[in-house]
């Protein structure tokens, strides 16, 4: 793809303790962006790195560093979705690409933008390379996929990947949402904008799943996108109440028609264990709702930058200066010709 397309491309990279490979990573991103866009910016969100990554980024923004870098350093490590939202709120591009360098391959970006140029507003990148996962993770993954398909009508693999390209129209729509940092992952899939999924195979091996982090993210996606989990709470509660009522009738019948009640110990034990299991599920979902409500009601900012800095060389500014100088020169020549004619 030639760099003749008239748009500004924003490439958002979330980095966490990637110091040794940071220069090579950013050089590749700059090289690809330069080839596929007339103008570009590389928005780097340092997500609470502790290995000196901010110092490396500061050096890369110097006179002898890389061009068009916009660096934002988060005060502390946040969930990757919060870090991504911080990048979206500070990106200026007509198209915005979200990339996790650990999971995603920036080399697939030209393929995604080719799809975007067909009039699509949301392009999801589906990595065909499978990651190792345990039996327990596989079971939880299938449960979440079924819930996402049932409640949201979303295909988890095709419409919820982190790697995506969004049009400015889509980003502006998302910016209107309160607390979108907790819901931006599913918003494009349900927004009604034209969307497409582009498969690709990453050049590097994908790391293993983080079971607890993925469980938390999956619960948040379901809770922030639909009221179905709370409906499930009411159904479970109603079922539990009904079972207790039935069991009460059973106890009365045993007391009236049976003298030896010792055999009922097995039934009682099974009933108690089943009820405690149901109550545990109810408390789990209620706890997630309360946690989400507390996040929304908190007056504290979702994220905070400890520092911001940019590259010493911003090509957009240089182009703007050239355009202004040419305009001024044309106006001066026009004025001079008028004076000569008079």
């Amino acid at each position: 793809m030639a760099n003749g397309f008239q748009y500004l491309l924003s490439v958002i990279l979330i980095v966490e303790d990637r110091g040794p490979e940071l220069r090579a990573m950013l050089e590749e991103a700059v090289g690809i962006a330069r080839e596929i866009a007339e103008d570009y910016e590389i928005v780097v969100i340092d997500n609470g790195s502790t290995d000196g990554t901010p110092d490396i980024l500061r050096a890369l923004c110097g006179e002898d560093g890389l061009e068009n870098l916009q660096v934002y350093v988060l005060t502390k490590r946040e969930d990757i979705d919060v870090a991504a939202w911080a990048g979206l709120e500070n990106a200026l591009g007509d198209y915005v690409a979200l990339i996790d360098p650990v999971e995603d391959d920036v080399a697939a970006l030209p393929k995604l933008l080719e799809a975007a140029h067909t009039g699509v507003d949301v392009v999801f990148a589906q990595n065909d390379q499978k990651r190792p996962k345990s039996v327990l993770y596989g079971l939880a993954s299938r449960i979440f996929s079924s819930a996402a398909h049932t409640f949201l009508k979303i295909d988890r693999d095709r419409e919820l990947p982190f790697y995506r390209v969004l049009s400015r129209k889509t980003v502006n729509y998302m910016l209107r949402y309160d607390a979108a940092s907790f819901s931006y992952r599913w918003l494009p899939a349900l927004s009604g904008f034209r969307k497409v999924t582009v498969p690709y195979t990453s050049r590097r091996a994908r790391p293993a799943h983080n079971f607890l982090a993925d469980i938390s993210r999956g619960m948040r996606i379901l809770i922030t996108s639909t009221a179905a989990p709370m409906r499930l709470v009411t159904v479970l509660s109603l079922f539990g109440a009904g079972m207790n009522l039935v069991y009460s009738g059973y106890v009365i019948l045993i007391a009236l028609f049976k003298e030896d009640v010792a055999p009922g110990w097995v039934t009682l034990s099974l009933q108690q264990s089943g009820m405690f299991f149901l109550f545990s599920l109810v408390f789990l979902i209620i706890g997630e709702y309360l946690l989400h409500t507390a996040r929304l009601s908190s007056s504290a900012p979702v994220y905070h930058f400890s520092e911001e800095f940019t590259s010493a060389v911003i090509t957009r500014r240089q182009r703007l200066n050239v355009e202004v100088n040419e305009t001024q020169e044309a106006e001066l020549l026009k004025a001079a010709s008028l004076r000569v004619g008079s």
Side-chain angles (χ1 to χ4, degrees), residues 42 54 135 140 155 181 248 276 278 293 314 320:
I42 308 297
V135 175
D155 186 322
S181 57
S248 297
F276 277 116
L278 291 176
T293 302
I314 302 294
L320 287 175

Side-chain angles (χ1 to χ4, degrees), residues 14 45 47 74 78-89 162 181-182 184 220 301-304:
I14 314 299
I45 306 296
N47 194 12
L74 289 170
E78 304 284 358
D79 183 88
I80 191 171
D81 286 346
V82 175
W85 185 249
L88 280 171
E89 286 194 317
F162 183 87
S181 57
F182 298 114
Y184 95 93
R220 187 169 66 244
V302 177
Y303 61 87
H304 181 263

Side-chain angles (χ1 to χ4, degrees), residues 78-332:
E78 304 284 358
D79 183 88
I80 191 171
D81 286 346
V82 175
W85 185 249
L88 280 171
E89 286 194 317
N90 290 277
L92 302 175
D94 302 303
Y95 290 96
V96 181
L98 280 165
I99 302 175
D100 176 4
V102 177
E103 291 276 344
D104 310 319
D105 193 344
V106 69
L109 186 54
K111 189 176 181 180
L112 303 184
L113 283 169
E114 286 180 358
H117 289 142
T118 63
V120 176
D121 292 301
V122 183
V123 182
F124 298 109
Q126 182 182 15
N127 193 345
D128 291 334
Q129 188 178 94
K130 303 301 180 182
R131 294 191 296 183
K133 56 184 177 183
S134 64
V135 175
L136 181 60
Y137 189 98
L139 176 62
S141 177
R142 286 192 292 272
I143 293 174
F144 174 76
S145 296
S146 298
H149 184 267
T150 301
F151 299 139
L152 306 179
K153 309 303 180 185
I154 287 179
D155 186 322
R156 185 204 64 172
D157 295 327
R158 295 177 56 83
E159 298 178 313
L160 288 178
F162 183 87
Y163 196 0
R164 58 187 62 185
V165 172
L166 307 173
S167 69
R168 172 48 54 182
K169 180 169 59 175
T170 306
V171 174
N172 289 340
Y173 164 78
M174 295 164 61
L175 289 173
R176 299 174 61 183
Y177 271 73
D178 294 330
S181 57
F182 298 114
S183 55
Y184 95 93
R185 183 70 75 96
W186 55 265
L187 272 174
L190 297 179
S191 60
F193 292 110
R194 290 187 61 191
K195 59 184 182 290
V196 68
T197 300
V198 176
Y200 81 101
T201 302
S202 177
R203 296 170 297 173
R204 59 178 66 89
R206 303 178 71 187
H209 293 277
N210 186 326
F211 183 76
L212 294 180
D214 287 353
I215 287 290
S216 176
R217 186 172 299 113
M219 290 292 295
R220 187 169 66 244
I221 288 174
L222 291 177
I223 287 173
T224 57
S225 58
T226 176
M230 185 54 75
R231 295 297 181 189
L232 181 60
V233 169
T234 59
V235 170
L236 290 175
S237 300
L238 182 62
F239 178 73
M243 289 298 295
N244 273 297
L245 183 62
V246 171
Y247 181 71
S248 297
Y250 171 75
V251 171
I252 294 174
L253 291 175
I254 291 295
L256 291 176
F257 299 105
K258 191 173 181 63
E259 295 180 359
D260 185 7
V261 296
W265 179 84
V266 175
T267 306
L268 178 63
S269 299
L270 291 175
Q271 184 269 345
Q272 287 179 335
S273 63
M275 291 306 301
F276 277 116
F277 176 73
L278 291 176
F279 281 129
S280 297
L281 291 179
V282 170
F283 292 145
L284 170 65
I285 299 175
I286 290 177
E288 289 292 332
Y289 263 103
L290 292 176
L291 178 61
H292 179 64
T293 302
R295 286 171 174 168
L296 295 182
S297 62
S298 174
S299 59
V302 177
Y303 61 87
H304 181 263
F305 294 132
S306 60
E307 56 181 325
E308 306 174 19
F309 44 90
T310 64
S311 293
V313 179
I314 302 294
T315 57
R316 183 167 60 257
R317 295 174 186 167
Q318 294 175 348
R319 274 193 274 270
L320 287 175
N321 290 337
V322 170
E323 290 175 3
V324 170
N325 290 337
E326 289 178 348
T327 302
Q328 291 175 341
E329 182 179 357
E331 290 176 351
L332 290 174

